[in-house]
């Protein structure tokens, strides 16, 4: 159902915006929300539910738009995403200097969250270091690679298109665009240009031995890969609080064979392996929830996020 939302649209950097729901003088703390592939403003159903739940609290929600939002994801990268998120964090810190900032990502936005926390700071080629967050939440952290391979193994046409795309991407320049007719067959929007570099990052055809940048959540990743990603969170020191993961119980993009609870335990062990507990006790599997928690599980998600924020 269509509805209107009160708030302020902030330009946190040139050509980049974030919509703040229900701002006010008591709203000292901020949840910065980043969507996944194809997402933009209000495309994830539970964002407005979070905003409503925050009305009587000191928290407000910022729906952050990046260069990769909507149709831009096919030619952007996690490096650029986290650089822009850092700009938004600095902007919000200027608006609310005494407040706390928690970053929450949905789907591929979860990759942004983990990339923000584990990758070098600053990243190669970037001058500015990323600011420290007070908390971080990953929601629906599923594997793009496993989803693509599942489709390819289930359908001969998809498998043929996938193999053509891998061969094409390996032979062409990184920023060359893949044929739209082939990317549409493997399940991506037929109006979105996808570069060879981003395709190889998402599909990660050399995984699990040599996972690409975007391959952070596959269930078959080796312990060494988890050590390099989840295991680097404490050492990097970019979050004061703990990292939470909220996995959708009936996520249609996750492999049916994935034991979600067991996967969360592996991530927890990797995150806490250095002796510092950085994995949040508020992590868990959202009962009955679809990928974007559009109906069932939404109340559970909102309550769990509120509990997490109260712990920050």
């Amino acid at each position: 159902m269509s509805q209107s939302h009160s708030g302020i649209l902030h330009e946190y950097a040139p050509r980049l915006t974030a919509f703040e729901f229900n701002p006010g003088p008591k709203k000292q703390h901020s949840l910065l929300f980043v969507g996944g592939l194809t997402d933009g403003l209000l495309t994830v159903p539970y964002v407005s539910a979070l905003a409503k739940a925050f009305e009587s609290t000191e928290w407000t929600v910022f729906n952050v738009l990046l260069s990769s939002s909507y149709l831009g994801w096919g030619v952007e990268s996690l490096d650029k995403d986290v650089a822009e998120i850092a700009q938004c964090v600095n902007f919000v810190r200027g608006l609310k200097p005494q407040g706390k900032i928690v970053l929450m990502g949905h789907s591929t936005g979860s990759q942004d969250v983990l990339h923000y926390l584990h990758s070098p700071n600053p990243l190669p080629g970037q001058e500015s270091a990323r600011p420290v967050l007070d908390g971080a939440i990953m929601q629906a952290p599923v594997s793009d690679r496993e989803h693509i391979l599942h489709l390819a193994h289930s359908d001969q046409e998809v498998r043929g298109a996938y193999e053509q795309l891998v061969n094409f991407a390996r032979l062409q320049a990184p920023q060359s665009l893949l044929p739209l007719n082939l990317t549409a067959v493997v399940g991506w929007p037929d109006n979105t240009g996808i570069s060879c570099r981003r395709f190889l990052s998402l599909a990660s055809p050399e995984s699990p031995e040599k996972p690409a940048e975007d391959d952070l959540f596959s269930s078959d990743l080796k312990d060494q890969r988890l050590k390099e990603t989840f295991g680097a969170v404490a050492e990097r020191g970019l979050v004061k609080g703990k990292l939470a993961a909220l996995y959708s119980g009936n996520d249609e993009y996750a492999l049916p064979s994935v034991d979600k609870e067991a996967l969360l335990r592996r991530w927890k062990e990797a995150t806490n392996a250095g002796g510092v507990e950085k994995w949040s006790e508020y992590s868990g599997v959202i009962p009955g929830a679809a990928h974007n928690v559009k109906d069932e599980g939404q109340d559970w998600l909102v309550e769990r996020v509120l509990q997490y924020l109260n712990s920050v």
Side-chain angles (χ1 to χ4, degrees), residues 282 300-312:
Y282 295 107
W300 190 98
L301 168 65
V302 171
E303 180 61 27
R304 188 58 64 97
V305 170
L306 285 170
Q307 290 172 341
Y308 174 85
L309 295 179
N310 287 332
S311 75
V312 173

Side-chain angles (χ1 to χ4, degrees), residues 22 68 72 105 107 113 222 229 263 266 284 290-292:
N22 304 317
S68 60
S107 192
V113 171
K222 304 290 193 294
T229 55
L263 189 58
R266 286 191 70 206
H291 182 64
N292 64 3

Side-chain angles (χ1 to χ4, degrees), residues 136-303:
I137 304 171
M138 305 182 300
Q139 194 279 309
V142 297
S143 166
D144 292 286
R145 172 174 69 89
E146 287 185 332
H147 177 64
I148 295 168
L149 288 178
H150 177 68
L151 294 177
H153 291 153
S154 304
D155 186 291
Q156 188 172 354
E157 182 185 8
V158 176
R159 183 175 185 82
Y162 169 80
E163 292 174 349
Q164 289 183 68
L165 287 168
V166 170
N167 292 331
F168 186 97
R170 283 171 168 165
L171 293 172
Q172 301 300 314
Q175 291 306 318
S176 298
L177 296 183
L178 296 166
L180 291 176
N181 63 310
L182 293 179
T183 55
V185 172
V186 300
W188 283 322
D190 59 7
N191 62 347
T192 304
I194 304 172
S195 70
C196 295
R197 189 212 57 79
R198 191 66 197 266
F199 171 79
L200 290 175
S201 184
L202 290 167
S204 193
E206 295 184 25
S207 285
E209 288 74 19
K210 295 181 180 179
E213 179 180 270
D214 272 282
D215 194 6
L216 297 172
F217 305 129
S218 294
S219 60
D220 62 353
L221 292 175
K222 304 290 193 294
D223 289 343
Q224 179 60 32
R225 172 61 166 173
L226 299 188
K227 180 180 179 182
E228 295 166 353
T229 55
F230 287 93
V233 170
E235 179 184 354
R236 199 66 70 189
L238 280 166
V239 60
K240 294 179 182 177
K242 298 178 180 180
L243 172 63
L246 303 174
Y247 208 117
S248 295
N250 285 339
D251 198 315
E252 61 271 29
Y253 293 102
L255 287 182
S257 60
V258 170
D259 184 334
K260 301 175 181 66
E261 296 283 3
L263 189 58
L264 290 182
R265 285 194 294 271
R266 286 191 70 206
W267 296 349
K268 175 182 178 178
E269 290 170 5
T271 304
N272 293 340
V276 179
E277 285 200 14
K278 298 301 286 187
W279 185 260
S280 173
E281 62 272 27
Y282 295 107
S283 298
V285 177
I286 309 169
H291 182 64
N292 64 3
V293 201
K294 55 187 175 183
D295 294 309
E296 189 171 352
Q298 194 170 108
D299 291 343
W300 190 98
L301 168 65
V302 171
E303 180 61 27

Side-chain angles (χ1 to χ4, degrees), residues 4-73:
S4 299
H5 298 274
S6 299
I8 298 176
L9 184 65
H10 301 276
E11 185 180 27
Y12 67 86
R15 299 175 64 86
L16 296 173
T17 60
F19 182 80
E20 179 186 8
F21 292 82
N22 304 317
K26 295 183 179 180
K27 300 293 187 178
Q28 292 300 308
H29 309 310
S30 307
L31 179 73
L32 307 189
F33 178 84
V34 176
L37 303 187
T38 76
D39 280 323
L41 185 59
L42 291 172
T43 57
V44 178
Y46 63 77
V47 175
S48 55
L50 286 172
K52 184 172 180 59
F54 289 178
E55 286 179 354
S56 60
T57 74
E58 294 183 340
W59 289 86
T60 187
V61 182
F62 285 78
N63 195 157
V64 183
L65 297 183
L66 308 172
S67 296
S68 60
S69 298
Y70 296 116
L71 304 184
W73 61 269

